Amino acid sequence: MKCVIVIKNGSGRDQALTFDREEINIGRIMGNDIMINDRSVSGYHAKIRLHNGQAELIDLDSKNGTTVNTEPVKRASLYDQDRITIGNISVQFICPEAISEHAMDQTMIAHSKGWNARKVEQLVHYSTDHVRDMIHKSFKNKSIKTVDSVRY
């Protein structure tokens, strides 16, 4: 599963980072996969785990906390298009292959209408393709880096 984290810096110079490893660490100091140089970010702030089509965010007892869609969390499932705050830094999680709440809602609606499994599968694939197209359009003229060890 390949995902993108977009670090928002407020001046329009967002940085997009792709990753497909099972786990990435985010924090302010060396040794993290993604280093964010901001005093509101703890040394080892949070980690994201990917497993079996699911994504999970884990706060590593950070000083300034972590939120997902404005809700403070210690541990939370992540879905495509979730907005994360790490300290004071805004991050968007983009992962069309992760099971999204939107796709689940669409699937539930489809089942309630009596659609067969094939029609439901087409709807979910359409949702995923639509999000993937939005990513490509959004970052058409911007660089997308692969996470190995990235300093922000």
Side-chain angles (χ1 to χ4, degrees):
M1 178 164 61
K2 189 171 275 197
C3 300
V4 178
I5 290 180
V6 181
I7 301 171
K8 311 272 189 179
N9 83 2
S11 67
R13 288 185 24 214
D14 300 346
Q15 185 175 13
L17 309 164
T18 63
F19 67 98
D20 58 3
R21 295 193 316 220
E22 285 189 18
E23 186 173 291
I24 62 161
N25 293 303
I26 303 168
R28 191 182 69 247
I29 63 176
M30 297 267 277
N32 287 289
D33 301 303
I34 298 177
M35 292 179 287
I36 301 175
N37 187 18
D38 185 277
R39 295 185 65 65
S40 70
V41 177
S42 294
Y44 294 99
H45 198 102
K47 69 172 64 178
I48 296 175
R49 286 189 179 148
L50 304 177
H51 185 67
N52 291 335
Q54 300 288 317
E56 179 181 40
L57 175 79
I58 303 163
D59 181 272
L60 301 174
D61 295 322
S62 64
K63 182 178 179 183
N64 292 315
T66 305
T67 68
V68 175
N69 300 322
T70 71
E71 294 294 320
V73 298
K74 287 293 182 186
R75 177 179 232 125
S77 294
L78 290 176
Y79 300 98
D80 186 47
Q81 302 298 317
D82 275 347
R83 299 205 183 275
I84 304 166
T85 303
I86 297 174
N88 295 327
I89 303 298
S90 295
V91 175
Q92 185 171 7
F93 179 75
I94 302 173
C95 197
E97 295 173 41
I99 300 169
S100 72
E101 289 181 280
H102 175 71
M104 287 190 297
D105 289 346
Q106 297 263 344
T107 302
M108 289 170 49
I109 290 167
H111 279 297
S112 72
K113 291 183 176 184
W115 293 356
N116 64 27
R118 179 75 178 134
K119 200 166 187 178
V120 170
E121 183 180 320
Q122 288 172 339
L123 178 63
V124 172
H125 281 255
Y126 169 78
S127 296
T128 302
D129 290 342
H130 178 69
V131 172
R132 190 174 290 121
D133 290 344
M134 286 177 10
I135 293 168
H136 289 293
K137 287 177 186 172
S138 295
F139 295 100
K140 193 174 186 180
N141 297 320
K142 298 178 183 175
S143 64
I144 298 179
K145 298 179 182 178
T146 301
V147 171
D148 233 351
S149 182
V150 177
R151 186 179 195 139
Y152 177 73

